[in-house]
Structure formats: structure tokens, C-alpha cells
Amino acid sequence: MSTKLGFTFYPKDWWTSETYFTLTLTQRYLFLECLFIMYSNNGYLSNNKDLLQNRLRTEITNSDWEAVTKEFLLEGKNFTSTSVNKRLKRAISNRENGKKGGAPKGNNNATKQPNQPKKTTQNNPPLERERERERESKREIEDNILLEKELKNKTTKIENIDEVVFEEVNSTDLKSEEISQKKVAPKKRFSKPTIVEIREYCFERNNQVNPEKFFDHYESNGWMVGKTKMKDWKAAIRTWEKNTFNNQNQNKNGQQQERFIGRQSIDTIQHNATVGYEATERVRKQMLNNSD
């Protein structure tokens, strides 16, 4: 008697399954061959395509191999199938139950149990067998549905954990980045100007600040403004304009001093502009009279 287990194959289930319609004719044959090997190898099939090619003595394309093996589960270096494992367990259970009726081997004192008379057969055995197949098919479908639900629940839990971890890591990275930016923010250091820079800035602003006097004043006190270190020498020049030299527009007798733009006073510039305008008007009137 053969020690290998057989299995029950229902063509109706195979022809109506989703796998049957998604595979090509060649892939269907390859799929069935893989199932046969699993049944004869305790539910496992090697993931080495070359071994299966040598066994079937034909070449298997990568596309056919991937289309068929995606229907199975990969455990280590072997493929397996949930439905195959269920059928093998049921077949092993049936074989063990059949052995319980006989005496153990090697026990001479054991008395063999008499064969139990067979129960009366049903009125229509083929119909009963068909119903049993349908019940078994329904049980298998229900088992597959429960298995899919368990896998979905596990996947959902893993995704939720990943989202929580991602949010915590992301918030931690943002906080550390903000802290590092605050720490790394460089301080603005004061750079002492030269007399040339001071002179150019005073000329740009057209003020009456003496660049040499400004430089000597702050050079003598270490570029301090009161008790603090100077931060912006251009702001200090603007302060000199407002607080010191605007008050010097008046002389010691309280008389308004003459204001200058460059080397000319403002009054001189205004006088020259008025004289030029009057001369232009006289020439224009003379030209009008000559034309008449």
C-alpha cells in the first residue's frame, strides 16, 4: 500500500475559480503541476525554477513562472498553498482515524476488533457524494474568507503602527531641526570701517560729518557707544547728522549759517538758477518780436 497521500480534485471548482480565468492555457498546466508536486512533497514546492524545468523537461518563461507562483505563499526557499495544506491535514486525519479500528502492529496479545457492519447506504449515494463535495467546497471558501480577513487586519495594524512611528519621527526631526537652526544662527559681528569707507558714505549722504574726526573719536574709545560695543557704524554717522551737525547750522551769534551742496552754497545755486531763467525769458520775447 502506498504511503503517499492522495487528494480529491473537483473539476467544477477548478473551472469556476478566479485563478482559472486569470491564467493562460500554459500557465494553467504549470499551476496544476505545481499543486501535484506540493501534494507529493508535504505541501511544499521549491522556488528554484530550474528544478521544475528539469522535472517537466520543458522551458518555463519568467512571465509564466511569476504568474503562477504569485498564487502561492513563499516560506523561506519554498512555495506553499493554504488550500493544499488544508486538504493534506484532512487526508492525514482520515488516515489516522482509519487506523484506530485495527490492533497495533507487533502486539501478539492484542485481540483484533471485529469488523463493524457497514451502515445502510443512502437511497442515492452519488447524489450524497455530490452534496458532500459541495459542503466541503463551501467550508474551504469560508476558511479562505476568514484567512483573508485575518491578513487584512494584520496589514491594517502594521500600517497604523507605521503611520504613528512616522509621525513621531517626523515631529522629532522637525523639533531637532528648529533647535539646530536656533543654535547655528550666526551672530552679526562688527567690522571696523576705514577712513575711506567713512568718507565715501558721508559723500553719498551729502552731510557735513568730518570722516577723520568721526574715525578718531571712536578709535580712541575702542568703538564703544556708551558702555556697549558699536554694532553699525553707518547708523552712528546718521546719528551724528541728526544730533550734532544739524545744530551747527547756526553760528555762535545765533545767525543761520550758509548751507552747502558740494562746494557751492544753496543760496548761490538758487541765485544762478533765477538769473538763468530771466535771461532765457528775455531771449524768447525778443525772438517773438522779431518774428512779428
Coordinates of all heavy atoms in Angstrom, one line a residue, residues 172-252:
T172 N 9.8 64.7 15.7 CA 11.1 64.8 16.4 C 12.2 65.4 15.5 O 13.0 66.2 15.9 CB 11.6 63.4 16.8 OG1 10.6 62.8 17.6 CG2 12.9 63.4 17.6
D173 N 12.2 65.1 14.2 CA 13.1 65.7 13.2 C 12.9 67.2 13.1 O 13.9 67.9 13.0 CB 13.0 65.0 11.9 CG 13.5 63.5 11.9 OD1 14.2 63.2 12.9 OD2 13.1 62.8 11.0
L174 N 11.6 67.6 13.0 CA 11.3 69.0 12.9 C 11.8 69.8 14.1 O 12.4 70.9 14.0 CB 9.8 69.2 12.7 CG 9.2 68.7 11.3 CD1 7.7 68.9 11.3 CD2 9.9 69.5 10.2
K175 N 11.5 69.2 15.3 CA 12.0 69.9 16.5 C 13.5 70.0 16.6 O 14.0 71.1 16.9 CB 11.4 69.1 17.8 CG 9.9 69.2 17.9 CD 9.5 68.5 19.2 CE 8.0 68.5 19.3 NZ 7.5 67.8 20.5
S176 N 14.2 68.9 16.3 CA 15.6 69.0 16.3 C 16.2 69.9 15.3 O 17.2 70.6 15.5 CB 16.2 67.5 16.1 OG 15.8 67.1 14.8
E177 N 15.5 70.0 14.1 CA 15.9 70.9 13.1 C 15.7 72.4 13.5 O 16.6 73.2 13.3 CB 15.1 70.7 11.8 CG 15.6 71.5 10.6 CD 14.9 71.2 9.3 OE1 14.1 70.2 9.4 OE2 15.1 71.9 8.3
E178 N 14.6 72.7 14.2 CA 14.4 74.0 14.7 C 15.4 74.4 15.7 O 16.0 75.5 15.8 CB 13.0 74.1 15.3 CG 11.9 74.0 14.2 CD 10.5 74.0 14.9 OE1 10.5 74.1 16.1 OE2 9.5 74.0 14.1
I179 N 15.8 73.4 16.6 CA 16.7 73.7 17.7 C 18.1 73.9 17.1 O 18.9 74.9 17.4 CB 16.8 72.5 18.7 CG1 15.5 72.5 19.4 CG2 18.0 72.7 19.6 CD1 15.3 71.2 20.3
S180 N 18.5 73.1 16.0 CA 19.8 73.3 15.4 C 19.9 74.6 14.7 O 20.9 75.3 14.7 CB 20.0 72.1 14.4 OG 19.0 72.1 13.4
Q181 N 18.7 75.1 14.0 CA 18.8 76.4 13.4 C 19.0 77.5 14.3 O 19.7 78.5 14.1 CB 17.5 76.5 12.6 CG 17.4 75.7 11.3 CD 16.1 75.9 10.6 OE1 15.2 76.6 11.1 NE2 15.9 75.2 9.5
K182 N 18.3 77.4 15.5 CA 18.5 78.4 16.5 C 19.9 78.5 17.0 O 20.5 79.5 17.3 CB 17.5 78.2 17.7 CG 16.1 78.4 17.3 CD 15.2 78.1 18.5 CE 13.7 78.4 18.1 NZ 12.8 78.1 19.3
K183 N 20.5 77.3 17.2 CA 21.9 77.2 17.7 C 22.9 77.7 16.7 O 23.9 78.3 17.0 CB 22.2 75.8 18.1 CG 21.4 75.4 19.4 CD 21.9 74.0 19.8 CE 21.1 73.5 21.1 NZ 21.5 72.1 21.5
V184 N 22.6 77.3 15.4 CA 23.6 77.6 14.4 C 23.5 79.0 13.8 O 24.4 79.5 13.1 CB 23.4 76.6 13.2 CG1 24.3 76.9 12.0 CG2 23.7 75.2 13.7
A185 N 22.4 79.7 14.1 CA 22.2 81.1 13.6 C 23.4 82.0 13.9 O 23.7 82.2 15.1 CB 21.0 81.7 14.2
P186 N 24.2 82.4 12.9 CA 25.4 83.2 13.2 C 25.1 84.6 13.7 O 24.1 85.2 13.3 CB 26.1 83.2 11.8 CG 25.0 83.1 10.8 CD 23.9 82.2 11.5
K187 N 25.9 85.0 14.6 CA 25.8 86.4 15.1 C 26.5 87.4 14.2 O 27.6 87.1 13.7 CB 26.4 86.5 16.5 CG 25.6 85.7 17.6 CD 26.2 85.9 18.9 CE 25.5 85.1 20.0 NZ 26.0 85.3 21.3
K188 N 25.9 88.6 14.0 CA 26.5 89.6 13.2 C 27.6 90.3 13.9 O 27.4 90.9 15.0 CB 25.4 90.6 12.8 CG 25.9 91.6 11.7 CD 24.8 92.5 11.4 CE 25.2 93.5 10.3 NZ 24.2 94.5 9.9
R189 N 28.8 90.1 13.4 CA 30.0 90.7 14.0 C 30.3 92.1 13.5 O 30.2 92.3 12.3 CB 31.2 89.8 13.8 CG 31.0 88.4 14.5 CD 32.2 87.5 14.3 NE 33.4 88.1 15.0 CZ 34.6 87.6 15.0 NH1 34.8 86.5 14.4 NH2 35.6 88.2 15.6
F190 N 30.7 93.0 14.3 CA 31.1 94.4 13.9 C 32.4 94.4 13.3 O 33.4 93.8 13.8 CB 31.0 95.3 15.1 CG 31.6 96.7 14.8 CD1 30.8 97.6 14.1 CD2 32.8 97.1 15.2 CE1 31.3 98.8 13.8 CE2 33.3 98.3 15.0 CZ 32.5 99.2 14.2
S191 N 32.5 95.0 12.1 CA 33.7 95.2 11.4 C 34.1 96.7 11.4 O 33.3 97.5 10.9 CB 33.6 94.7 10.0 OG 34.8 94.8 9.3
K192 N 35.3 97.0 11.9 CA 35.7 98.4 12.0 C 35.9 99.0 10.6 O 36.6 98.4 9.8 CB 37.0 98.5 12.8 CG 37.4 100.0 13.0 CD 38.7 100.0 13.9 CE 39.9 99.4 13.1 NZ 41.1 99.6 13.9
P193 N 35.3 100.2 10.3 CA 35.4 100.8 8.9 C 36.8 101.5 8.8 O 37.4 101.9 9.8 CB 34.3 101.7 8.8 CG 34.0 102.2 10.2 CD 34.4 101.0 11.1
T194 N 37.1 101.7 7.5 CA 38.3 102.5 7.3 C 37.9 104.0 7.0 O 36.7 104.3 6.8 CB 39.1 102.0 6.0 OG1 38.2 102.1 4.9 CG2 39.5 100.5 6.2
I195 N 38.9 104.9 7.0 CA 38.5 106.3 6.8 C 38.0 106.5 5.4 O 37.1 107.3 5.1 CB 39.8 107.2 7.0 CG1 40.2 107.1 8.4 CG2 39.5 108.6 6.6 CD1 41.5 107.9 8.7
V196 N 38.5 105.7 4.4 CA 38.0 105.7 3.0 C 36.5 105.4 3.0 O 35.7 106.0 2.3 CB 38.8 104.8 2.1 CG1 38.2 104.8 0.7 CG2 40.2 105.3 2.1
E197 N 36.1 104.3 3.7 CA 34.7 103.9 3.7 C 33.8 104.9 4.4 O 32.7 105.2 3.9 CB 34.6 102.6 4.5 CG 35.2 101.4 3.7 CD 35.1 100.1 4.6 OE1 35.0 100.2 5.8 OE2 35.2 99.0 4.0
I198 N 34.3 105.5 5.4 CA 33.6 106.6 6.1 C 33.4 107.8 5.2 O 32.3 108.4 5.1 CB 34.2 107.0 7.4 CG1 34.3 105.8 8.4 CG2 33.5 108.2 8.1 CD1 35.1 106.1 9.6
R199 N 34.5 108.2 4.5 CA 34.4 109.3 3.6 C 33.4 109.1 2.4 O 32.6 110.0 2.1 CB 35.8 109.6 3.0 CG 35.9 110.9 2.2 CD 37.3 111.2 1.7 NE 38.2 111.5 2.8 CZ 39.2 110.7 3.2 NH1 39.4 109.5 2.5 NH2 40.0 111.0 4.1
E200 N 33.4 107.9 1.9 CA 32.5 107.6 0.8 C 31.1 107.6 1.3 O 30.2 108.1 0.5 CB 32.9 106.2 0.2 CG 34.2 106.1 -0.6 CD 34.5 104.7 -1.1 OE1 33.8 103.8 -0.7 OE2 35.5 104.6 -1.8
Y201 N 30.8 107.1 2.5 CA 29.4 107.1 3.0 C 28.9 108.5 3.3 O 27.8 108.8 3.0 CB 29.3 106.2 4.2 CG 27.9 106.0 4.7 CD1 27.0 105.2 3.9 CD2 27.5 106.5 5.9 CE1 25.7 105.0 4.3 CE2 26.2 106.3 6.3 CZ 25.3 105.6 5.6 OH 24.0 105.4 6.0
C202 N 29.8 109.3 3.8 CA 29.4 110.7 4.1 C 29.2 111.5 2.8 O 28.2 112.3 2.7 CB 30.5 111.4 4.9 SG 30.7 110.8 6.6
F203 N 30.0 111.2 1.7 CA 29.8 111.8 0.4 C 28.5 111.4 -0.2 O 27.7 112.1 -0.8 CB 31.0 111.5 -0.5 CG 30.8 112.1 -1.9 CD1 31.1 113.5 -2.1 CD2 30.4 111.4 -3.0 CE1 31.0 114.1 -3.3 CE2 30.2 111.9 -4.2 CZ 30.5 113.3 -4.4
E204 N 28.1 110.1 0.0 CA 26.9 109.5 -0.5 C 25.7 110.2 0.1 O 24.7 110.5 -0.5 CB 26.9 108.0 -0.3 CG 25.6 107.3 -0.7 CD 25.6 105.9 -0.4 OE1 26.7 105.3 -0.1 OE2 24.5 105.2 -0.4
R205 N 25.8 110.5 1.4 CA 24.7 111.1 2.1 C 24.7 112.6 2.1 O 23.8 113.3 2.5 CB 24.7 110.7 3.6 CG 24.4 109.2 3.8 CD 24.2 108.8 5.2 NE 23.1 109.6 5.8 CZ 21.8 109.3 5.7 NH1 21.4 108.2 5.0 NH2 20.9 110.0 6.3
N206 N 25.8 113.2 1.5 CA 26.0 114.6 1.3 C 25.8 115.4 2.7 O 25.0 116.3 2.8 CB 24.9 115.1 0.3 CG 25.2 116.5 -0.2 OD1 26.4 117.0 -0.1 ND2 24.2 117.2 -0.6
N207 N 26.5 114.9 3.7 CA 26.4 115.5 5.0 C 27.6 116.3 5.3 O 28.6 116.3 4.5 CB 26.1 114.5 6.1 CG 27.1 113.4 6.1 OD1 28.3 113.6 5.8 ND2 26.7 112.2 6.5
Q208 N 27.7 116.9 6.5 CA 28.8 117.7 6.9 C 29.7 117.0 7.9 O 30.4 117.7 8.7 CB 28.3 119.1 7.4 CG 27.5 119.9 6.4 CD 28.3 120.2 5.2 OE1 29.5 120.6 5.3 NE2 27.8 120.1 4.0
V209 N 29.5 115.7 8.1 CA 30.3 114.9 9.0 C 31.7 114.9 8.6 O 32.0 114.5 7.4 CB 29.7 113.5 9.2 CG1 30.6 112.7 10.2 CG2 28.3 113.6 9.7
N210 N 32.7 115.1 9.5 CA 34.1 115.1 9.2 C 34.5 113.6 9.4 O 34.5 113.1 10.5 CB 34.9 115.9 10.2 CG 36.3 116.1 9.8 OD1 36.9 115.1 9.3 ND2 36.9 117.2 10.0
P211 N 34.9 112.9 8.3 CA 35.2 111.5 8.4 C 36.4 111.2 9.4 O 36.4 110.3 10.1 CB 35.6 111.1 7.0 CG 34.9 112.1 6.1 CD 34.9 113.4 6.9
E212 N 37.5 112.1 9.3 CA 38.6 111.9 10.1 C 38.3 112.1 11.6 O 38.7 111.3 12.5 CB 39.8 112.9 9.8 CG 40.5 112.5 8.5 CD 39.6 113.0 7.2 OE1 38.6 113.6 7.4 OE2 40.0 112.6 6.1
K213 N 37.4 113.1 11.9 CA 37.0 113.3 13.3 C 36.2 112.2 13.8 O 36.3 111.7 14.9 CB 36.2 114.6 13.3 CG 35.8 115.1 14.7 CD 35.1 116.4 14.7 CE 34.8 116.8 16.1 NZ 34.1 118.2 16.2
F214 N 35.3 111.7 12.9 CA 34.5 110.5 13.3 C 35.3 109.3 13.6 O 35.1 108.6 14.6 CB 33.5 110.2 12.2 CG 32.6 109.0 12.5 CD1 31.4 109.2 13.2 CD2 32.9 107.8 12.0 CE1 30.5 108.1 13.4 CE2 32.1 106.7 12.3 CZ 30.9 106.8 13.0
F215 N 36.3 109.0 12.8 CA 37.2 107.9 12.9 C 38.0 108.0 14.2 O 38.1 107.1 15.0 CB 38.0 107.7 11.7 CG 39.0 106.5 11.8 CD1 38.5 105.2 11.4 CD2 40.3 106.6 12.2 CE1 39.4 104.1 11.5 CE2 41.1 105.6 12.3 CZ 40.7 104.3 12.0
D216 N 38.6 109.2 14.4 CA 39.5 109.4 15.6 C 38.7 109.3 16.9 O 39.2 108.8 17.9 CB 40.2 110.7 15.5 CG 41.2 110.8 14.3 OD1 41.6 109.7 13.9 OD2 41.5 111.9 13.9
H217 N 37.5 109.8 16.8 CA 36.6 109.8 18.1 C 36.4 108.3 18.5 O 36.6 108.0 19.7 CB 35.3 110.5 17.8 CG 34.3 110.3 18.9 ND1 34.5 111.1 20.1 CD2 33.2 109.5 19.1 CE1 33.5 110.7 20.9 NE2 32.7 109.8 20.3
Y218 N 35.9 107.5 17.6 CA 35.6 106.1 18.0 C 36.8 105.2 18.1 O 36.8 104.2 18.8 CB 34.6 105.5 17.1 CG 33.2 106.1 17.3 CD1 32.6 106.9 16.4 CD2 32.5 105.8 18.4 CE1 31.4 107.5 16.5 CE2 31.2 106.3 18.6 CZ 30.7 107.2 17.7 OH 29.4 107.7 17.9
E219 N 37.9 105.5 17.4 CA 39.1 104.8 17.5 C 39.7 105.0 18.9 O 40.3 104.1 19.5 CB 40.1 105.2 16.4 CG 41.4 104.4 16.4 CD 41.2 103.0 15.9 OE1 40.2 102.7 15.3 OE2 42.1 102.2 16.1
S220 N 39.6 106.2 19.5 CA 40.1 106.5 20.8 C 39.4 105.7 21.9 O 40.0 105.4 22.9 CB 40.1 108.0 21.0 OG 38.8 108.5 21.1
N221 N 38.1 105.5 21.8 CA 37.3 104.8 22.8 C 37.0 103.4 22.5 O 36.2 102.8 23.2 CB 36.0 105.6 23.1 CG 35.0 105.4 22.0 OD1 35.3 104.9 20.9 ND2 33.8 106.0 22.2
G222 N 37.7 102.8 21.6 CA 37.6 101.4 21.3 C 36.3 101.1 20.6 O 35.7 100.0 20.7
W223 N 35.7 102.0 19.8 CA 34.5 101.8 19.0 C 33.3 101.4 20.0 O 32.6 100.4 19.7 CB 34.7 100.9 17.9 CG 35.6 101.4 16.9 CD1 36.9 101.2 16.8 CD2 35.3 102.2 15.8 NE1 37.5 101.8 15.7 CE2 36.5 102.4 15.1 CE3 34.1 102.7 15.3 CZ2 36.5 103.2 13.9 CZ3 34.2 103.5 14.1 CH2 35.4 103.8 13.5
M224 N 33.2 102.2 21.0 CA 32.2 102.0 22.0 C 31.1 103.1 21.9 O 31.5 104.2 21.6 CB 32.7 101.9 23.4 CG 33.8 100.9 23.7 SD 33.1 99.2 23.7 CE 32.1 99.3 25.2
V225 N 29.9 102.7 22.0 CA 28.8 103.7 22.1 C 28.2 103.6 23.5 O 27.4 102.7 23.8 CB 27.7 103.3 21.0 CG1 26.6 104.4 21.1 CG2 28.2 103.3 19.6
G226 N 28.6 104.6 24.3 CA 28.3 104.5 25.7 C 29.1 103.4 26.3 O 30.4 103.4 26.3
K227 N 28.4 102.4 26.9 CA 29.1 101.2 27.5 C 29.0 100.0 26.7 O 29.4 98.9 27.2 CB 28.5 101.0 28.9 CG 28.7 102.1 29.9 CD 28.2 101.8 31.3 CE 28.4 102.9 32.3 NZ 27.9 102.6 33.6
T228 N 28.4 100.1 25.5 CA 28.2 98.9 24.7 C 29.1 99.0 23.4 O 29.4 100.1 23.0 CB 26.8 98.7 24.2 OG1 26.3 99.9 23.5 CG2 25.9 98.5 25.5
K229 N 29.4 97.9 22.8 CA 30.2 97.8 21.6 C 29.4 98.3 20.4 O 28.2 97.9 20.3 CB 30.7 96.4 21.4 CG 31.7 96.2 20.3 CD 33.1 96.7 20.8 CE 34.2 96.4 19.7 NZ 35.5 96.9 20.2
M230 N 30.0 99.0 19.5 CA 29.2 99.5 18.4 C 28.9 98.3 17.5 O 29.7 97.4 17.3 CB 30.1 100.5 17.6 CG 29.4 101.1 16.3 SD 30.4 102.2 15.4 CE 30.4 103.6 16.5
K231 N 27.7 98.4 16.9 CA 27.2 97.3 16.0 C 27.1 97.8 14.6 O 27.2 97.0 13.7 CB 25.8 96.8 16.5 CG 25.8 96.2 17.9 CD 24.4 95.7 18.3 CE 24.4 95.1 19.7 NZ 23.1 94.6 20.1
D232 N 26.8 99.1 14.4 CA 26.6 99.6 13.0 C 27.2 101.0 12.9 O 26.6 101.9 13.5 CB 25.1 99.6 12.6 CG 24.9 99.9 11.2 OD1 25.8 100.3 10.5 OD2 23.7 99.8 10.7
W233 N 28.3 101.1 12.2 CA 29.0 102.4 12.2 C 28.2 103.4 11.3 O 28.3 104.6 11.5 CB 30.4 102.3 11.7 CG 30.6 101.7 10.4 CD1 30.7 100.4 10.1 CD2 30.6 102.4 9.1 NE1 30.9 100.2 8.7 CE2 30.8 101.5 8.1 CE3 30.6 103.8 8.8 CZ2 30.9 101.8 6.8 CZ3 30.7 104.1 7.4 CH2 30.9 103.1 6.4
K234 N 27.5 102.9 10.3 CA 26.7 103.8 9.4 C 25.5 104.4 10.2 O 25.2 105.6 10.0 CB 26.1 103.0 8.2 CG 27.2 102.5 7.3 CD 26.6 101.8 6.1 CE 27.7 101.4 5.1 NZ 27.1 100.7 3.9
A235 N 24.9 103.6 11.1 CA 23.9 104.2 11.9 C 24.5 105.3 12.8 O 23.8 106.3 13.1 CB 23.2 103.1 12.8
A236 N 25.7 105.1 13.3 CA 26.4 106.2 14.1 C 26.6 107.4 13.3 O 26.4 108.5 13.9 CB 27.7 105.6 14.7
I237 N 26.9 107.3 12.1 CA 27.1 108.5 11.2 C 25.8 109.2 11.1 O 25.7 110.5 11.1 CB 27.7 108.1 9.9 CG1 29.2 107.7 10.0 CG2 27.6 109.3 8.9 CD1 29.8 107.3 8.7
R238 N 24.7 108.5 10.8 CA 23.4 109.1 10.7 C 23.0 109.8 12.0 O 22.3 110.9 12.0 CB 22.3 108.1 10.3 CG 22.6 107.5 8.9 CD 21.4 106.7 8.4 NE 21.1 105.5 9.2 CZ 21.7 104.3 9.0 NH1 22.5 104.2 7.9 NH2 21.4 103.3 9.7
T239 N 23.4 109.3 13.1 CA 23.1 109.9 14.4 C 23.9 111.2 14.5 O 23.3 112.2 15.1 CB 23.4 109.0 15.6 OG1 22.7 107.7 15.4 CG2 23.1 109.6 16.9
W240 N 25.1 111.2 14.1 CA 25.9 112.4 14.1 C 25.2 113.5 13.3 O 25.3 114.7 13.6 CB 27.3 112.2 13.6 CG 28.2 111.6 14.7 CD1 28.0 110.7 15.6 CD2 29.6 112.0 14.9 NE1 29.1 110.4 16.4 CE2 30.1 111.3 16.0 CE3 30.4 113.0 14.3 CZ2 31.4 111.4 16.4 CZ3 31.7 113.1 14.7 CH2 32.2 112.3 15.8
E241 N 24.7 113.1 12.1 CA 24.0 114.1 11.3 C 22.8 114.8 12.0 O 22.7 116.0 12.0 CB 23.4 113.4 10.0 CG 24.4 112.9 9.1 CD 23.8 112.2 7.9 OE1 22.6 112.4 7.7 OE2 24.5 111.5 7.1
K242 N 22.0 113.9 12.7 CA 20.8 114.5 13.3 C 21.1 115.2 14.6 O 20.6 116.4 14.8 CB 19.8 113.3 13.7 CG 19.4 112.6 12.4 CD 18.5 111.4 12.8 CE 18.1 110.6 11.6 NZ 17.4 109.4 12.0
N243 N 21.9 114.7 15.5 CA 22.0 115.2 16.9 C 23.1 116.3 17.0 O 23.1 117.1 17.9 CB 22.3 114.1 17.9 CG 21.2 113.1 17.9 OD1 20.0 113.4 17.5 ND2 21.5 111.9 18.3
T244 N 24.1 116.3 16.1 CA 25.3 117.1 16.3 C 25.4 118.2 15.2 O 25.3 119.4 15.5 CB 26.5 116.3 16.3 OG1 26.4 115.3 17.4 CG2 27.8 117.2 16.6
F245 N 25.4 117.8 14.0 CA 25.8 118.8 12.9 C 24.6 119.6 12.4 O 24.8 120.6 11.8 CB 26.5 118.0 11.8 CG 27.8 117.6 12.2 CD1 28.0 116.3 12.7 CD2 28.9 118.4 12.1 CE1 29.3 115.9 13.0 CE2 30.2 118.0 12.4 CZ 30.4 116.7 12.9
N246 N 23.4 119.1 12.7 CA 22.2 119.9 12.3 C 22.2 121.2 13.2 O 21.7 122.2 12.9 CB 20.9 119.2 12.5 CG 20.7 118.2 11.3 OD1 21.4 118.4 10.3 ND2 19.8 117.3 11.4
N247 N 22.7 121.0 14.5 CA 22.7 122.1 15.4 C 23.8 123.1 15.1 O 23.8 124.2 15.6 CB 22.9 121.6 16.8 CG 21.7 120.8 17.3 OD1 20.6 121.0 16.8 ND2 22.0 119.8 18.2
Q248 N 24.7 122.7 14.2 CA 25.8 123.6 13.9 C 25.5 124.5 12.7 O 26.3 125.2 12.2 CB 27.1 122.8 13.5 CG 27.7 122.1 14.8 CD 28.9 121.4 14.4 OE1 29.4 121.4 13.3 NE2 29.5 120.7 15.4
N249 N 24.2 124.4 12.2 CA 23.8 125.3 11.1 C 23.7 126.8 11.6 O 23.7 127.7 10.8 CB 22.4 124.9 10.6 CG 22.5 123.7 9.7 OD1 23.6 123.4 9.1 ND2 21.5 122.9 9.7
Q250 N 23.7 127.0 12.9 CA 23.7 128.3 13.5 C 25.1 128.6 14.1 O 25.7 127.7 14.7 CB 22.7 128.4 14.6 CG 21.3 128.3 14.1 CD 20.2 128.6 15.2 OE1 20.6 128.6 16.4 NE2 19.0 128.7 14.8
N251 N 25.6 129.9 13.9 CA 26.9 130.2 14.4 C 26.8 130.6 15.8 O 25.8 130.5 16.5 CB 27.5 131.4 13.6 CG 26.6 132.6 13.5 OD1 25.7 132.7 14.3 ND2 26.8 133.5 12.6
K252 N 27.9 131.0 16.4 CA 27.9 131.4 17.8 C 27.0 132.5 18.2 O 26.5 132.6 19.3 CB 29.3 131.7 18.2 CG 30.3 130.5 18.1 CD 31.7 131.0 18.5 CE 32.6 129.8 18.4 NZ 34.0 130.1 18.8

